[in-house]
Amino acid sequence: MAYDVVRPLIHEVLTMVNNAKVKDKKIEVLRKYRSDGLKMILKSSFDPKIVWRLPDGDVPFIKNDAPAGTEHTRLEQEASKLFHFIRGGNDKLKQVKCETMFVQMLEGLQEAEAEVLILAKDKRLHQKYKGLSKQVVQEAFDWDDNFLNVKHKDYKKSA
């Protein structure tokens, strides 16, 4: 049995989703590479209740052009820090510091990973990665319309 030695970067997973021809294959890819980081990025892009504290559009930062697998951080691990950039996450953080931290995160990421983060911030992942839709993401991770896990034992539907 073959094993994946190196876990693909989030942009590579999303490219696989983009290249999959049918919805079931797209869902299969998301499930195969499911991780907290991937789910955080996708939820932050598709959940309308999540509001980023950062301005929409391009972000001025120095792209990290180091080859993949070398001197850069992984978005999958950096995703745990996204709460700093989301309203209600760390609202005590001054706006200037919030934006500075975001730029620093982008500069540490591989260039394509930084692009994914910017697209997620602007809620535009679906524009670059065709077939990546709210419905596909919800089905892949068993999320309802509120982006809550419908199979979680503590989940209760509200009346």
Side-chain angles (χ1 to χ4, degrees), residues 90-108:
N90 184 4
D91 292 339
K92 292 182 180 179
L93 186 67
K94 294 195 182 306
Q95 187 64 27
V96 171
K97 180 68 174 171
C98 175
E99 292 177 20
T100 301
M101 286 172 53
F102 190 73
V103 167
Q104 289 170 339
M105 182 181 285
L106 291 173
E107 290 178 348

Side-chain angles (χ1 to χ4, degrees), residues 36-127:
D36 288 343
L38 177 62
K39 291 191 294 187
M40 284 183 225
I41 293 297
L42 293 173
K43 186 171 183 171
S44 72
S45 184
F46 288 101
D47 187 342
K49 294 181 301 299
I50 293 179
V51 178
W52 290 78
R53 295 180 56 197
L54 303 162
D56 285 346
D58 291 336
V59 180
F61 73 101
I62 300 168
K63 294 179 178 163
N64 185 339
D65 58 2
T70 59
E71 299 178 20
H72 57 79
T73 55
R74 292 179 63 94
L75 183 53
E76 190 165 344
Q77 279 77 42
E78 293 293 298
S80 66
K81 300 174 187 169
L82 293 182
F83 74 95
H84 292 295
F85 314 119
I86 305 292
R87 286 201 187 131
N90 184 4
D91 292 339
K92 292 182 180 179
L93 186 67
K94 294 195 182 306
Q95 187 64 27
V96 171
K97 180 68 174 171
C98 175
E99 292 177 20
T100 301
M101 286 172 53
F102 190 73
V103 167
Q104 289 170 339
M105 182 181 285
L106 291 173
E107 290 178 348
L109 294 168
Q110 190 261 354
E111 189 174 340
E113 295 279 87
E115 180 184 13
V116 165
L117 184 54
I118 293 169
L119 289 169
K121 167 188 73 75
D122 293 339
K123 299 197 178 275
R124 297 182 324 140
L125 274 176
H126 64 284
Q127 291 176 0

